[in-house]
Amino acid sequence: MPALTPIARKLRRNQTDAEARLWQRLRNRQIAGAKFTRQVPLGPYVVDFCCRPIKLVLELDGGQHADNPRDLERTRRLEAHGYRVVRFWNNDVLTNTDGVLQAIALAVAKAAQPPHPNPLPGGERGK
């Protein structure tokens, strides 16, 4: 597997319009104090945006990602490592930035919730 840091650096320098727009709204803890970084090497992948403390990954997809089985596998593998992956279309970021930001704020709030202090023994059905 090649070292991903040089690839991540290149992706940061050559970001898409959608990535640039979203990064301006994510950087400096602008959403619920969550610290996002961009083009983050994570396992064998470079993810678009990541908030490591709450294990939240944001991916921006262009039309080439429609029904892409490799994206499904990527999401499955990241989730197997405890990350929640939220995907947005580039077009949505560019035309409905506020709606995307609201969805991200909800994902941050959900991911940041601590576990229940008194979980039911053996799960909710007592198994």
PDB file of all heavy atoms in Angstrom, residues 47-70:
ATOM      1  N   VAL A  47     -10.139  10.045   3.239  1.00  0.00           N
ATOM      2  CA  VAL A  47     -11.520  10.510   3.319  1.00  0.00           C
ATOM      3  C   VAL A  47     -11.544  12.028   3.168  1.00  0.00           C
ATOM      4  O   VAL A  47     -10.581  12.711   3.504  1.00  0.00           O
ATOM      5  CB  VAL A  47     -12.203  10.061   4.632  1.00  0.00           C
ATOM      6  CG1 VAL A  47     -12.228   8.541   4.723  1.00  0.00           C
ATOM      7  CG2 VAL A  47     -11.544  10.657   5.851  1.00  0.00           C
ATOM      8  N   ASP A  48     -12.660  12.555   2.666  1.00  0.00           N
ATOM      9  CA  ASP A  48     -12.751  13.990   2.401  1.00  0.00           C
ATOM     10  C   ASP A  48     -12.642  14.811   3.681  1.00  0.00           C
ATOM     11  O   ASP A  48     -11.840  15.738   3.761  1.00  0.00           O
ATOM     12  CB  ASP A  48     -14.050  14.323   1.663  1.00  0.00           C
ATOM     13  CG  ASP A  48     -14.059  13.761   0.248  1.00  0.00           C
ATOM     14  OD1 ASP A  48     -12.977  13.640  -0.359  1.00  0.00           O
ATOM     15  OD2 ASP A  48     -15.154  13.439  -0.243  1.00  0.00           O
ATOM     16  N   PHE A  49     -13.468  14.502   4.676  1.00  0.00           N
ATOM     17  CA  PHE A  49     -13.455  15.233   5.945  1.00  0.00           C
ATOM     18  C   PHE A  49     -13.652  14.233   7.074  1.00  0.00           C
ATOM     19  O   PHE A  49     -14.428  13.291   6.950  1.00  0.00           O
ATOM     20  CB  PHE A  49     -14.580  16.276   6.002  1.00  0.00           C
ATOM     21  CG  PHE A  49     -14.494  17.303   4.904  1.00  0.00           C
ATOM     22  CD1 PHE A  49     -15.253  17.164   3.758  1.00  0.00           C
ATOM     23  CD2 PHE A  49     -13.647  18.391   5.016  1.00  0.00           C
ATOM     24  CE1 PHE A  49     -15.176  18.090   2.738  1.00  0.00           C
ATOM     25  CE2 PHE A  49     -13.558  19.329   3.990  1.00  0.00           C
ATOM     26  CZ  PHE A  49     -14.327  19.179   2.854  1.00  0.00           C
ATOM     27  N   CYS A  50     -12.970  14.483   8.196  1.00  0.00           N
ATOM     28  CA  CYS A  50     -13.084  13.567   9.324  1.00  0.00           C
ATOM     29  C   CYS A  50     -13.030  14.345  10.632  1.00  0.00           C
ATOM     30  O   CYS A  50     -12.221  15.252  10.795  1.00  0.00           O
ATOM     31  CB  CYS A  50     -11.942  12.557   9.281  1.00  0.00           C
ATOM     32  SG  CYS A  50     -12.034  11.314  10.581  1.00  0.00           S
ATOM     33  N   CYS A  51     -13.910  13.968  11.540  1.00  0.00           N
ATOM     34  CA  CYS A  51     -13.860  14.449  12.917  1.00  0.00           C
ATOM     35  C   CYS A  51     -13.514  13.219  13.755  1.00  0.00           C
ATOM     36  O   CYS A  51     -14.381  12.413  14.091  1.00  0.00           O
ATOM     37  CB  CYS A  51     -15.188  15.058  13.336  1.00  0.00           C
ATOM     38  SG  CYS A  51     -15.164  15.710  15.018  1.00  0.00           S
ATOM     39  N   ARG A  52     -12.234  13.052  14.035  1.00  0.00           N
ATOM     40  CA  ARG A  52     -11.761  11.838  14.708  1.00  0.00           C
ATOM     41  C   ARG A  52     -12.344  11.633  16.109  1.00  0.00           C
ATOM     42  O   ARG A  52     -12.673  10.499  16.454  1.00  0.00           O
ATOM     43  CB  ARG A  52     -10.239  11.821  14.758  1.00  0.00           C
ATOM     44  CG  ARG A  52      -9.604  11.527  13.421  1.00  0.00           C
ATOM     45  CD  ARG A  52      -8.102  11.401  13.565  1.00  0.00           C
ATOM     46  NE  ARG A  52      -7.434  11.427  12.297  1.00  0.00           N
ATOM     47  CZ  ARG A  52      -6.908  10.358  11.723  1.00  0.00           C
ATOM     48  NH1 ARG A  52      -6.968   9.198  12.303  1.00  0.00           N
ATOM     49  NH2 ARG A  52      -6.310  10.473  10.556  1.00  0.00           N
ATOM     50  N   PRO A  53     -12.470  12.687  16.938  1.00  0.00           N
ATOM     51  CA  PRO A  53     -12.964  12.425  18.298  1.00  0.00           C
ATOM     52  C   PRO A  53     -14.333  11.749  18.350  1.00  0.00           C
ATOM     53  O   PRO A  53     -14.602  10.965  19.259  1.00  0.00           O
ATOM     54  CB  PRO A  53     -13.017  13.821  18.934  1.00  0.00           C
ATOM     55  CG  PRO A  53     -12.028  14.627  18.165  1.00  0.00           C
ATOM     56  CD  PRO A  53     -12.090  14.091  16.761  1.00  0.00           C
ATOM     57  N   ILE A  54     -15.197  12.044  17.367  1.00  0.00           N
ATOM     58  CA  ILE A  54     -16.521  11.426  17.364  1.00  0.00           C
ATOM     59  C   ILE A  54     -16.666  10.400  16.239  1.00  0.00           C
ATOM     60  O   ILE A  54     -17.760   9.899  15.989  1.00  0.00           O
ATOM     61  CB  ILE A  54     -17.650  12.473  17.306  1.00  0.00           C
ATOM     62  CG1 ILE A  54     -17.534  13.357  16.066  1.00  0.00           C
ATOM     63  CG2 ILE A  54     -17.676  13.297  18.575  1.00  0.00           C
ATOM     64  CD1 ILE A  54     -18.700  14.294  15.852  1.00  0.00           C
ATOM     65  N   LYS A  55     -15.552  10.119  15.550  1.00  0.00           N
ATOM     66  CA  LYS A  55     -15.503   9.112  14.494  1.00  0.00           C
ATOM     67  C   LYS A  55     -16.576   9.344  13.422  1.00  0.00           C
ATOM     68  O   LYS A  55     -17.352   8.455  13.087  1.00  0.00           O
ATOM     69  CB  LYS A  55     -15.605   7.708  15.076  1.00  0.00           C
ATOM     70  CG  LYS A  55     -14.391   7.346  15.926  1.00  0.00           C
ATOM     71  CD  LYS A  55     -14.372   5.894  16.272  1.00  0.00           C
ATOM     72  CE  LYS A  55     -13.024   5.371  15.834  1.00  0.00           C
ATOM     73  NZ  LYS A  55     -12.893   3.940  15.950  1.00  0.00           N
ATOM     74  N   LEU A  56     -16.575  10.569  12.900  1.00  0.00           N
ATOM     75  CA  LEU A  56     -17.526  10.945  11.856  1.00  0.00           C
ATOM     76  C   LEU A  56     -16.754  11.298  10.588  1.00  0.00           C
ATOM     77  O   LEU A  56     -15.842  12.124  10.618  1.00  0.00           O
ATOM     78  CB  LEU A  56     -18.363  12.142  12.302  1.00  0.00           C
ATOM     79  CG  LEU A  56     -19.385  12.673  11.313  1.00  0.00           C
ATOM     80  CD1 LEU A  56     -20.438  11.623  10.974  1.00  0.00           C
ATOM     81  CD2 LEU A  56     -20.044  13.930  11.860  1.00  0.00           C
ATOM     82  N   VAL A  57     -17.116  10.655   9.482  1.00  0.00           N
ATOM     83  CA  VAL A  57     -16.500  10.893   8.179  1.00  0.00           C
ATOM     84  C   VAL A  57     -17.549  11.508   7.268  1.00  0.00           C
ATOM     85  O   VAL A  57     -18.684  11.024   7.200  1.00  0.00           O
ATOM     86  CB  VAL A  57     -15.979   9.575   7.566  1.00  0.00           C
ATOM     87  CG1 VAL A  57     -15.597   9.757   6.104  1.00  0.00           C
ATOM     88  CG2 VAL A  57     -14.803   9.048   8.366  1.00  0.00           C
ATOM     89  N   LEU A  58     -17.163  12.570   6.555  1.00  0.00           N
ATOM     90  CA  LEU A  58     -18.020  13.190   5.553  1.00  0.00           C
ATOM     91  C   LEU A  58     -17.381  12.968   4.195  1.00  0.00           C
ATOM     92  O   LEU A  58     -16.201  13.268   4.001  1.00  0.00           O
ATOM     93  CB  LEU A  58     -18.165  14.697   5.807  1.00  0.00           C
ATOM     94  CG  LEU A  58     -18.643  15.120   7.190  1.00  0.00           C
ATOM     95  CD1 LEU A  58     -18.652  16.643   7.291  1.00  0.00           C
ATOM     96  CD2 LEU A  58     -20.016  14.550   7.488  1.00  0.00           C
ATOM     97  N   GLU A  59     -18.150  12.445   3.259  1.00  0.00           N
ATOM     98  CA  GLU A  59     -17.659  12.212   1.912  1.00  0.00           C
ATOM     99  C   GLU A  59     -18.507  13.005   0.931  1.00  0.00           C
ATOM    100  O   GLU A  59     -19.742  13.022   1.030  1.00  0.00           O
ATOM    101  CB  GLU A  59     -17.747  10.719   1.564  1.00  0.00           C
ATOM    102  CG  GLU A  59     -16.772   9.855   2.336  1.00  0.00           C
ATOM    103  CD  GLU A  59     -15.382   9.893   1.758  1.00  0.00           C
ATOM    104  OE1 GLU A  59     -14.656  10.866   2.050  1.00  0.00           O
ATOM    105  OE2 GLU A  59     -15.034   8.972   1.026  1.00  0.00           O
ATOM    106  N   LEU A  60     -17.855  13.666  -0.020  1.00  0.00           N
ATOM    107  CA  LEU A  60     -18.542  14.395  -1.075  1.00  0.00           C
ATOM    108  C   LEU A  60     -18.375  13.606  -2.360  1.00  0.00           C
ATOM    109  O   LEU A  60     -17.265  13.214  -2.717  1.00  0.00           O
ATOM    110  CB  LEU A  60     -17.956  15.798  -1.241  1.00  0.00           C
ATOM    111  CG  LEU A  60     -17.967  16.682   0.007  1.00  0.00           C
ATOM    112  CD1 LEU A  60     -17.513  18.085  -0.340  1.00  0.00           C
ATOM    113  CD2 LEU A  60     -19.333  16.707   0.648  1.00  0.00           C
ATOM    114  N   ASP A  61     -19.478  13.399  -3.048  1.00  0.00           N
ATOM    115  CA  ASP A  61     -19.470  12.548  -4.234  1.00  0.00           C
ATOM    116  C   ASP A  61     -19.966  13.302  -5.454  1.00  0.00           C
ATOM    117  O   ASP A  61     -20.966  14.016  -5.389  1.00  0.00           O
ATOM    118  CB  ASP A  61     -20.370  11.327  -4.026  1.00  0.00           C
ATOM    119  CG  ASP A  61     -19.881  10.414  -2.919  1.00  0.00           C
ATOM    120  OD1 ASP A  61     -18.665  10.414  -2.643  1.00  0.00           O
ATOM    121  OD2 ASP A  61     -20.708   9.717  -2.323  1.00  0.00           O
ATOM    122  N   GLY A  62     -19.288  13.093  -6.572  1.00  0.00           N
ATOM    123  CA  GLY A  62     -19.747  13.579  -7.864  1.00  0.00           C
ATOM    124  C   GLY A  62     -20.550  12.495  -8.549  1.00  0.00           C
ATOM    125  O   GLY A  62     -20.765  11.412  -7.995  1.00  0.00           O
ATOM    126  N   GLY A  63     -20.978  12.765  -9.749  1.00  0.00           N
ATOM    127  CA  GLY A  63     -21.814  11.832 -10.491  1.00  0.00           C
ATOM    128  C   GLY A  63     -21.186  10.471 -10.723  1.00  0.00           C
ATOM    129  O   GLY A  63     -21.883   9.469 -10.851  1.00  0.00           O
ATOM    130  N   GLN A  64     -19.850  10.400 -10.764  1.00  0.00           N
ATOM    131  CA  GLN A  64     -19.173   9.126 -11.009  1.00  0.00           C
ATOM    132  C   GLN A  64     -19.366   8.156  -9.854  1.00  0.00           C
ATOM    133  O   GLN A  64     -19.054   6.973  -9.977  1.00  0.00           O
ATOM    134  CB  GLN A  64     -17.678   9.344 -11.279  1.00  0.00           C
ATOM    135  CG  GLN A  64     -16.848   9.684 -10.061  1.00  0.00           C
ATOM    136  CD  GLN A  64     -16.849  11.174  -9.704  1.00  0.00           C
ATOM    137  OE1 GLN A  64     -17.683  11.938 -10.169  1.00  0.00           O
ATOM    138  NE2 GLN A  64     -15.910  11.575  -8.882  1.00  0.00           N
ATOM    139  N   HIS A  65     -19.895   8.626  -8.726  1.00  0.00           N
ATOM    140  CA  HIS A  65     -20.076   7.768  -7.555  1.00  0.00           C
ATOM    141  C   HIS A  65     -21.470   7.142  -7.471  1.00  0.00           C
ATOM    142  O   HIS A  65     -21.732   6.366  -6.567  1.00  0.00           O
ATOM    143  CB  HIS A  65     -19.807   8.557  -6.270  1.00  0.00           C
ATOM    144  CG  HIS A  65     -18.364   8.899  -6.095  1.00  0.00           C
ATOM    145  ND1 HIS A  65     -17.468   8.046  -5.517  1.00  0.00           N
ATOM    146  CD2 HIS A  65     -17.667  10.003  -6.445  1.00  0.00           C
ATOM    147  CE1 HIS A  65     -16.275   8.611  -5.500  1.00  0.00           C
ATOM    148  NE2 HIS A  65     -16.370   9.804  -6.060  1.00  0.00           N
ATOM    149  N   ALA A  66     -22.346   7.471  -8.396  1.00  0.00           N
ATOM    150  CA  ALA A  66     -23.703   6.933  -8.348  1.00  0.00           C
ATOM    151  C   ALA A  66     -23.666   5.411  -8.449  1.00  0.00           C
ATOM    152  O   ALA A  66     -23.100   4.855  -9.385  1.00  0.00           O
ATOM    153  CB  ALA A  66     -24.548   7.530  -9.468  1.00  0.00           C
ATOM    154  N   ASP A  67     -24.235   4.761  -7.448  1.00  0.00           N
ATOM    155  CA  ASP A  67     -24.329   3.297  -7.422  1.00  0.00           C
ATOM    156  C   ASP A  67     -22.971   2.603  -7.592  1.00  0.00           C
ATOM    157  O   ASP A  67     -22.876   1.569  -8.230  1.00  0.00           O
ATOM    158  CB  ASP A  67     -25.300   2.794  -8.501  1.00  0.00           C
ATOM    159  CG  ASP A  67     -26.697   3.334  -8.295  1.00  0.00           C
ATOM    160  OD1 ASP A  67     -27.121   3.436  -7.122  1.00  0.00           O
ATOM    161  OD2 ASP A  67     -27.366   3.662  -9.289  1.00  0.00           O
ATOM    162  N   ASN A  68     -21.943   3.177  -7.018  1.00  0.00           N
ATOM    163  CA  ASN A  68     -20.603   2.617  -7.126  1.00  0.00           C
ATOM    164  C   ASN A  68     -20.387   1.575  -6.031  1.00  0.00           C
ATOM    165  O   ASN A  68     -20.372   1.911  -4.854  1.00  0.00           O
ATOM    166  CB  ASN A  68     -19.565   3.730  -7.021  1.00  0.00           C
ATOM    167  CG  ASN A  68     -18.158   3.251  -7.296  1.00  0.00           C
ATOM    168  OD1 ASN A  68     -17.841   2.084  -7.112  1.00  0.00           O
ATOM    169  ND2 ASN A  68     -17.315   4.162  -7.740  1.00  0.00           N
ATOM    170  N   PRO A  69     -20.212   0.303  -6.383  1.00  0.00           N
ATOM    171  CA  PRO A  69     -20.024  -0.731  -5.358  1.00  0.00           C
ATOM    172  C   PRO A  69     -18.753  -0.522  -4.537  1.00  0.00           C
ATOM    173  O   PRO A  69     -18.676  -0.931  -3.385  1.00  0.00           O
ATOM    174  CB  PRO A  69     -19.973  -2.040  -6.150  1.00  0.00           C
ATOM    175  CG  PRO A  69     -19.774  -1.659  -7.564  1.00  0.00           C
ATOM    176  CD  PRO A  69     -20.231  -0.250  -7.732  1.00  0.00           C
ATOM    177  N   ARG A  70     -17.738   0.134  -5.103  1.00  0.00           N
ATOM    178  CA  ARG A  70     -16.519   0.401  -4.338  1.00  0.00           C
ATOM    179  C   ARG A  70     -16.789   1.378  -3.196  1.00  0.00           C
ATOM    180  O   ARG A  70     -16.181   1.275  -2.133  1.00  0.00           O
ATOM    181  CB  ARG A  70     -15.416   0.918  -5.258  1.00  0.00           C
ATOM    182  CG  ARG A  70     -14.913  -0.209  -6.159  1.00  0.00           C
ATOM    183  CD  ARG A  70     -13.938   0.161  -7.217  1.00  0.00           C
ATOM    184  NE  ARG A  70     -13.001   1.215  -6.907  1.00  0.00           N
ATOM    185  CZ  ARG A  70     -12.139   1.698  -7.764  1.00  0.00           C
ATOM    186  NH1 ARG A  70     -12.087   1.209  -8.975  1.00  0.00           N
ATOM    187  NH2 ARG A  70     -11.319   2.660  -7.435  1.00  0.00           N
TER     188      ARG A  70
END
